Amino acid sequence: MPDGFAISEYPDVPAVIADLDALIAQPIRPLRREALNAYLEDHFEKRCQSSKAMTAEAAEYIPGGVQHNLAFNMPFPLVITRASGCHLTDLDGNEYLDFLQAGGPTVLGSNPPEVLEQVIELLRTCGPSTGLFHEYELKLARFIAEHMPAVPMFRMLGSGTEGCMAAIRVARLATGKKNVVKMGGAYHGWSDQLAYGLRIPGTRHHEAHGVPKFVFRHTQEFFPGDLDALERTLKLNRARGGTAAVLIEPVGPESGTRPLPRDFNAGVRELCDRYGALLIFDEVVTGFRLGLSGAQGYFDVQPDLTVFGKVVAGGYPSAGGLGGKREYMKYLAAGIEAGSKKALVGGTMAANPLSSAAGYFTLVEIERQHAAERAGAMGDRLVAGLRESIDRRELPFVAYNQGSIVHLQTVGTLHFSVDFNRIWEIPGKLKEIKARKTAMEEMGAAYMAEGVVTLAGSRLYTSAAHTEETIDQAVAALDRVFANIEGARR
Ligand SMILES: Cc1ncc(COP(=O)(O)O)c(C=O)c1O
């Protein structure tokens, strides 16, 4: 099999958007209350007591009782003791099919033995960190350069958040311009300047509690997929400090929760060239999940800078970095190469031998196993099964995928948007969004009780460790949940 991409067929974007519009135009279709109560009682209360007790104690020491935003909290977090391939086991011995996949990094599945063996060998010889150079830093950067023509140079950092911060800093330094334009609804980490327009397009600083508003003086958002709106912003910016960069996730915000027309990225490239802004692709999720050349390879669009995270350390810690063209990456030179005009980045643990080796061997294995394509094929099978179930049960739910990134929208929470020119509508919309979020969490808890772990009850990552059999088991489990939706055809 030649090296290829996870996406076998690009989604029919107008059809998906029309279905999502129809979904949010309808009242919520929640789980029947007695079904929800049965899931909570029969699974969580009866079979997860050890998790309940441990996370209750953890709430004494850890805010919210868990350290991770993705940890499922409804009705309480579960404690995971084993993860292997596409299987998870909790503290009480319950088994689950894993479609969270750590939030995206594990294209090979959890804890692949080929990577584990190499990591153990490295730990024996050199330990996890030295603060000095290790050969795996070179091997990882060279591997990326060989597969991504727009990334001849790579600087490894500690997280995707750091990669995005570095990208903006470099873009401002390289262009001498001020403004950064992002797509509404997109998450680019939790740094001050990018805590803007999160999740729901148009919400501006709404979720940026603790960040002074002046921080957003040069951060702007545009509506996903709207090239005209982007161009209007770029035009206006010419008279107010110029645009340093347009920062986008090339599959659409929140891993494609609102998918983009296929030619959209090429359109953004053209606008960036016309207005002298750098194009930054946030490939934290898509980098190596869509294929070894990333979304930029799939869409055949070369960004100026690329942000990495997740897969770049193969599910191991310190997963992040920035790559790009030499003329821009020179601002990140470390050591004696550093010039006077340097973008300050760093990190005690950045590019440690452990993360570099884990990332390198993960990419080698992804290539050897054609893992991106295989994970994508599992995503296709999952969506086909879900659609069959949704249609059979006459539900308004929407399932679609971009390879191994599968979206299952039952309430369409993230499909809403707000418009500050119609400010009177906003409180009502935010109330509706909150109610839908609760319904989404209930769905996630029900999926979990049926043995399927998802991301926030609305996204499922497949991996090369999933098989046709496990996909079919998951479809059957989710179908049992769908049977319990109010008004579903039995
Ligand atoms: C598209 C995207 N960018 C950036 C980030 C932030 O990466 P990290 O969690 O490594 O800081 C994430 C994390 O989920 C992401 O999905």
Side-chain angles (χ1 to χ4, degrees):
M1 204 195 286
D3 247 11
F5 294 105
I7 302 177
S8 62
E9 193 183 335
Y10 198 69
D12 180 347
V13 172
V16 170
I17 301 262
D19 288 348
L20 289 167
D21 284 344
L23 177 66
I24 65 169
Q26 302 187 24
I28 302 171
R29 292 286 292 276
L31 277 166
R32 288 184 295 108
R33 294 301 88 177
E34 57 281 20
L36 174 65
N37 292 336
Y39 280 131
L40 297 181
E41 184 58 31
D42 296 345
H43 184 71
F44 291 96
E45 287 302 327
K46 289 207 177 113
R47 299 175 66 200
C48 303
Q49 274 306 307
S50 307
S51 276
K52 187 176 184 184
M54 186 180 283
T55 53
E57 187 189 353
E60 294 289 315
Y61 303 99
I62 296 169
V66 284
Q67 303 281 23
H68 210 279
N69 292 335
L70 292 182
F72 232 100
N73 288 318
M74 172 151 187
F76 48 80
L78 295 183
V79 182
I80 298 301
T81 53
R82 285 183 68 83
S84 175
C86 66
H87 297 280
L88 293 169
T89 309
D90 72 16
L91 187 59
D92 293 273
N94 301 300
E95 298 198 348
Y96 304 88
L97 289 173
D98 180 6
F99 290 90
L100 174 58
Q101 288 296 319
T106 51
V107 177
L108 298 164
S110 275
N111 207 7
E114 301 87 350
V115 179
L116 177 65
E117 293 310 318
Q118 299 287 354
V119 166
I120 290 173
E121 181 55 30
L122 173 96
L123 290 176
R124 280 210 184 91
T125 52
C126 155
S129 61
T130 62
L132 295 169
F133 190 79
H134 196 286
E135 186 186 3
Y136 286 125
E137 291 173 49
L138 166 64
K139 287 190 154 174
L140 178 59
R142 192 172 56 204
F143 188 101
I144 295 171
E146 282 167 4
H147 291 82
M148 289 185 163
V151 188
M153 295 196 124
F154 170 69
R155 175 87 198 251
M156 198 165 185
L157 296 165
S159 65
T161 298
E162 291 181 25
C164 291
M165 289 163 65
I168 289 179
R169 203 166 280 184
V170 168
R172 289 203 169 117
L173 207 43
T175 60
K177 296 174 182 168
K178 290 192 175 128
N179 296 292
V180 171
V181 188
K182 73 177 283 274
M183 214 172 336
Y187 177 66
H188 298 290
W190 53 276
S191 70
D192 276 6
Q193 288 171 82
L194 291 173
Y196 194 79
L198 293 180
R199 287 171 245 284
I200 311 293
T203 47
R204 301 185 186 175
H205 55 265
H206 190 80
E207 287 198 45
H209 308 294
V211 184
K213 274 201 204 113
F214 78 85
V215 167
F216 302 115
R217 223 163 93 201
H218 299 297
T219 307
Q220 300 158 333
E221 59 167 312
F222 71 101
F223 192 80
D226 188 344
L227 285 175
D228 293 336
L230 174 59
E231 180 157 23
R232 278 195 300 277
T233 305
L234 294 170
K235 236 182 223 163
L236 281 174
N237 281 354
R238 285 196 297 207
R240 43 185 199 198
T243 307
V246 178
L247 167 62
I248 56 174
E249 224 188 323
V251 288
E254 286 282 347
S255 301
T257 296
R258 192 185 289 263
L260 304 167
R262 187 163 181 173
D263 56 359
F264 175 78
N265 291 297
V268 179
R269 175 72 274 178
E270 216 179 286
L271 286 177
C272 284
D273 291 342
R274 200 177 316 152
Y275 290 88
L278 299 201
L279 172 59
I280 306 170
F281 272 2
D282 178 340
E283 294 234 37
V284 167
V285 170
T286 52
F288 319 116
R289 179 165 280 282
L290 290 198
L292 287 170
S293 57
Q296 52 200 270
Y298 178 76
F299 291 106
D300 196 17
V301 172
Q302 297 216 342
D304 299 299
L305 293 167
T306 303
V307 179
F308 296 89
K310 302 194 192 261
V311 191
V312 84
Y316 284 79
S318 282
L322 180 64
K325 300 177 178 171
R326 290 177 197 281
E327 64 206 273
Y328 308 124
M329 294 302 288
K330 71 179 183 197
Y331 294 108
L332 293 177
I336 52 172
E337 284 289 312
S340 55
K341 255 195 161 193
K342 194 187 157 202
L344 179 66
V345 299
T348 308
M349 287 297 158
N352 62 74
L354 169 66
S355 314
S356 305
Y360 171 68
F361 286 109
T362 296
L363 297 187
V364 167
E365 275 305 305
I366 289 177
E367 182 165 50
R368 193 183 67 80
Q369 297 184 22
H370 304 285
E373 300 97 298
R374 286 175 44 224
M378 292 301 112
D380 291 347
R381 189 177 181 91
L382 181 58
V383 165
L386 290 174
R387 284 186 173 161
E388 189 282 324
S389 164
I390 289 166
D391 290 347
R392 177 165 37 79
R393 299 207 176 275
E394 295 173 2
L395 292 167
F397 301 166
V398 187
Y400 62 97
N401 68 314
Q402 297 186 330
S404 54
I405 310 168
V406 175
H407 295 276
L408 170 58
Q409 304 298 339
T410 57
V411 285
T413 316
L414 296 185
H415 193 63
F416 281 82
S417 60
V418 300
D419 181 351
F420 269 73
N421 295 321
R422 302 171 70 83
I423 204 156
W424 60 92
E425 286 180 0
I426 293 179
K429 272 204 182 164
L430 294 180
K431 200 165 154 226
E432 171 79 15
I433 289 165
K434 200 161 170 233
R436 286 186 181 246
K437 189 164 170 277
T438 304
M440 189 169 89
E441 283 165 2
E442 291 172 3
M443 292 300 285
Y447 300 154
M448 185 93 102
E450 288 284 3
V452 175
V453 179
T454 62
L455 194 161
S458 61
R459 198 181 310 164
L460 298 92
Y461 290 112
T462 52
S463 76
H466 287 86
T467 58
E468 293 189 351
E469 195 188 354
T470 51
I471 295 295
D472 296 348
Q473 281 169 11
V475 169
L478 299 189
D479 182 60
R480 289 195 291 276
V481 177
F482 294 164
N484 285 313
I485 296 293
E486 271 179 20
R489 187 146 182 239
R490 294 300 195 92

